[in-house]
Amino acid sequence: MPQKSEQLELAFDRPGEVPGGGRSVEAPTATTGNERSGTSALMERVCQRPNLLAALKRVRRNKGSPGVDGMSVVELREHLRVHWLEIREQLLAGTYQPQPVKRVMIPKSDGGTRQLGIPTALDRFIQQAILQVLQPDFDRTFSEHSHGFRPGRSAHDAVSEARGFVQEGCDWVVDVDLEKFFDRVNHDVLMGRLAKRVLDKRLLQLIRRYLEAGILADGVVLDRFEGTPQGGPLSPLLANVLLDEVDKELEQRGHKFVRYADDCNVYVRSERAGKRVLEVLRRSYERLRLRINEKKSAVGLVHERSFLGFTIEAPFQRARVRIAPKSMDRFKTKVRQLTRRTRGQSIQSACQALRLYLPGWRNYFGPAMTNTELKLLDGWIRRRVRALQLKQWKTAKRTRQVLRSRGCPEDGIAKVAFNVGAKRWWHSAYGFANLVLPNKEIVKLGLPALAT
């Protein structure tokens, strides 16, 4: 008997095979330029075994919570082994019907909430398989100034390109943010753009069904008439397909711009030019039935505006990328939450939480800081941990016992114990750092350092 992994591969038909015998149309090769994506046999490419196995591997690696059916990505493999031939027939016949997405509200950094739509594990798998077929054809025609949700590109690339424009003397920026973009994508407009590039009507129909799949909220399925909910693998590609039209218009006009998802910055040499560009963008987005967020969008000097959490300073035309003040405030707020002295947590659990958070923050924002600045942050974080330790000793008596067991000098013990008794934890965490918790002990707790 074949093993489960082998059984799954047998369930995925060999390339070229179709249910009922015979051979399918060969998978079309990738297109170039403005050609349409393949032929009317794109769905056969989606259902080819190598593509499906790659999609399954990606979905399992991304993990994610179950959708409305409760099926986890771990259970998906067995489900496909049993039901894949039936699902494949539905996909090729154009009759497959996606399930509703599960609504999840997550907090935003500005205090609001963002709505995510979590598809079922099966629908995530199918969307990933579609994405792997469409993305190579679409991506090569997107603007070079678009960096969001594209292979081999990152937020750092976008910020680096923006810095280059500022270095050239464009010290004014048209900073545009779209109002609830993913919630307000017009389905007809988006499908019209897709139909210009995709010939396979089955695939177009399936994508529209994904767009129109209901949202399960509080036990009730709500119909959806606009928007592409964040949470599915296809949503980022669809966003780029829609916004690429504005990118092309900016290119034709010769503007210097950078776009990452729905954040678009256009770099100009004067405020007057910036205001003209803002009006052009307003009209362009209106054609796509999108609205600019007037509160977050503006024309300003580059050092006064932030882009992807960074600001760009341009003293004497030597542009430098810095962390935006709001980003630094959010970082410190997060560290304060993780090391809060009223949470009733141990030092070990606080350091574990910091170990999960700090490396990711360092990878993203670290390149914009000097090693000296990172060392200052390291010292501040260690002081937070020491203050937490002092709070947990609670009494002067307990403090004396611990410090004597470590062999600390009596004069230092008396001073630390006095501050603990007076509940001056933050003060003692700085003035008596080596007595409270030496750096080598903090290293043993696993607290990562930001500075190299």
Side-chain angles (χ1 to χ4, degrees):
M1 290 292 292
Q3 299 297 318
K4 283 188 176 181
S5 59
E6 296 172 344
Q7 291 174 334
L8 177 62
E9 292 193 18
L10 291 174
F12 291 153
D13 287 342
R14 294 294 192 271
E17 295 180 4
V18 295
R23 305 289 293 180
S24 68
V25 179
E26 289 295 325
T29 57
T31 59
T32 58
N34 291 322
E35 299 175 18
R36 294 193 175 192
S37 295
T39 67
S40 58
L42 275 179
M43 192 63 81
E44 277 72 18
R45 284 177 61 187
V46 171
C47 293
Q48 284 183 348
R49 188 166 64 110
N51 185 55
L52 297 171
L53 291 173
L56 179 61
K57 182 178 179 180
R58 183 61 180 267
V59 169
R60 286 173 61 87
R61 185 168 67 244
N62 289 344
K63 299 180 181 179
S65 60
V68 296
D69 61 355
M71 183 195 303
S72 68
V73 292
V74 176
E75 299 169 308
L76 176 61
R77 177 183 291 272
E78 180 64 20
H79 179 82
L80 290 172
R81 190 185 67 81
V82 176
H83 299 285
W84 170 246
L85 292 181
E86 177 187 352
I87 296 169
R88 183 180 188 273
E89 282 193 42
Q90 293 175 3
L91 290 171
L92 294 176
T95 60
Y96 179 80
Q97 184 63 48
Q99 295 189 65
V101 298
K102 182 172 68 175
R103 185 174 71 177
V104 176
M105 307 302 292
I106 61 173
K108 296 171 62 175
S109 57
D110 59 5
T113 58
R114 175 182 288 111
Q115 176 177 286
L116 292 185
I118 308 300
T120 64
L122 174 60
D123 283 325
R124 291 206 297 273
F125 163 71
I126 295 173
Q127 286 191 37
Q128 181 64 36
I130 295 172
L131 176 68
Q132 292 169 179
V133 169
L134 292 184
Q135 189 161 47
D137 291 344
F138 277 91
D139 194 75
R140 62 171 51 89
T141 66
F142 288 152
S143 169
E144 285 299 309
H145 307 293
S146 167
H147 296 273
F149 311 128
R150 297 182 62 186
R153 293 171 181 258
S154 68
H156 288 164
D157 296 328
V159 174
S160 178
E161 184 178 20
R163 178 185 176 276
F165 292 146
V166 176
Q167 190 79 39
E168 294 172 10
C170 299
D171 51 2
W172 286 84
V173 60
V174 184
D175 183 3
V176 175
D177 180 83
L178 296 179
E179 189 175 274
K180 296 183 179 180
F181 168 69
F182 283 94
D183 295 335
R184 291 183 174 169
V185 169
N186 184 279
H187 294 171
D188 292 334
V189 173
L190 173 58
M191 293 306 301
R193 270 60 180 177
L194 281 173
K196 294 177 181 179
R197 298 284 305 275
V198 177
L199 283 175
D200 195 322
K201 293 183 178 179
R202 296 167 300 175
L203 189 55
L204 288 173
Q205 188 178 45
L206 180 58
I207 292 174
R208 180 176 276 276
R209 286 174 179 164
Y210 275 121
L211 291 173
E212 296 177 348
I215 300 177
L216 181 65
D218 300 323
V220 179
V221 177
L222 307 175
D223 292 332
R224 188 167 73 236
F225 303 101
E226 63 178 0
T228 170
Q230 299 179 71
L234 264 180
S235 293
L237 175 65
L238 299 180
N240 278 332
V241 169
L242 185 62
L243 295 176
D244 186 60
E245 183 173 312
V246 179
D247 296 344
K248 293 298 193 292
E249 182 175 354
L250 290 172
E251 286 180 337
Q252 291 174 359
R253 292 175 177 269
H255 291 304
K256 298 176 180 180
F257 73 96
V258 183
R259 182 176 66 81
Y260 192 94
D262 57 331
D263 292 327
C264 182
N265 278 10
V266 185
Y267 295 87
V268 295
R269 296 180 182 271
S270 68
E271 183 179 14
R272 183 178 179 183
K275 290 181 178 179
R276 288 199 302 268
V277 171
L278 183 58
E279 286 304 314
V280 170
L281 286 172
R282 191 174 280 112
R283 291 194 297 269
S284 299
Y285 287 126
E286 284 176 354
R287 287 199 299 271
L288 299 178
R289 301 188 188 179
L290 298 171
R291 289 204 299 268
I292 288 178
N293 188 328
E294 300 295 345
K295 292 183 179 180
K296 294 184 178 180
S297 304
V299 178
L301 292 168
V302 290
H303 67 271
E304 297 174 346
R305 308 295 300 179
S306 65
F307 181 50
L308 302 178
F310 298 92
T311 58
I312 302 175
E313 297 177 352
F316 307 108
Q317 301 307 315
R318 295 182 63 182
R320 181 184 176 186
V321 177
R322 304 286 292 174
I323 298 180
K326 287 185 178 180
S327 298
M328 183 58 72
D329 290 343
R330 285 195 290 268
F331 168 74
K332 290 192 171 183
T333 298
K334 180 65 174 180
V335 172
R336 288 188 184 101
Q337 290 173 348
L338 297 177
T339 57
R340 187 177 298 156
R341 295 187 287 277
T342 58
R343 292 183 67 181
Q345 62 175 339
S346 66
I347 292 290
Q348 289 77 10
S349 62
C351 288
Q352 170 65 18
L354 290 169
R355 189 159 60 244
L356 295 174
Y357 173 68
L358 293 179
W361 186 91
R362 171 69 174 81
N363 290 338
Y364 187 77
F365 287 107
M369 300 189 74
T370 65
N371 214 43
T372 299
E373 291 169 326
L374 291 173
K375 285 181 179 179
L376 290 173
L377 281 180
D378 278 333
W380 176 76
I381 294 169
R382 288 194 295 267
R383 188 176 177 184
R384 294 283 311 175
V385 173
R386 290 184 178 112
L388 177 59
Q389 176 68 87
L390 286 167
K391 171 68 183 300
Q392 292 182 351
W393 287 343
K394 294 184 180 180
T395 65
K397 181 179 179 180
R398 172 62 177 160
T399 302
R400 291 190 186 95
Q401 291 174 344
V402 174
L403 294 182
R404 285 197 181 106
S405 69
R406 295 179 180 177
C408 297
E410 283 298 326
D411 59 338
I413 291 174
K415 292 176 181 178
V416 175
F418 172 79
N419 285 312
V420 169
K423 298 184 178 181
R424 300 175 65 188
W425 303 296
W426 182 247
H427 174 77
S428 292
Y430 176 74
F432 306 96
N434 289 330
L435 295 181
V436 176
L437 205 58
N439 285 351
K440 63 180 181 180
E441 295 298 325
I442 292 181
V443 171
K444 289 180 181 179
L445 289 170
L447 182 67
L450 297 176
T452 56

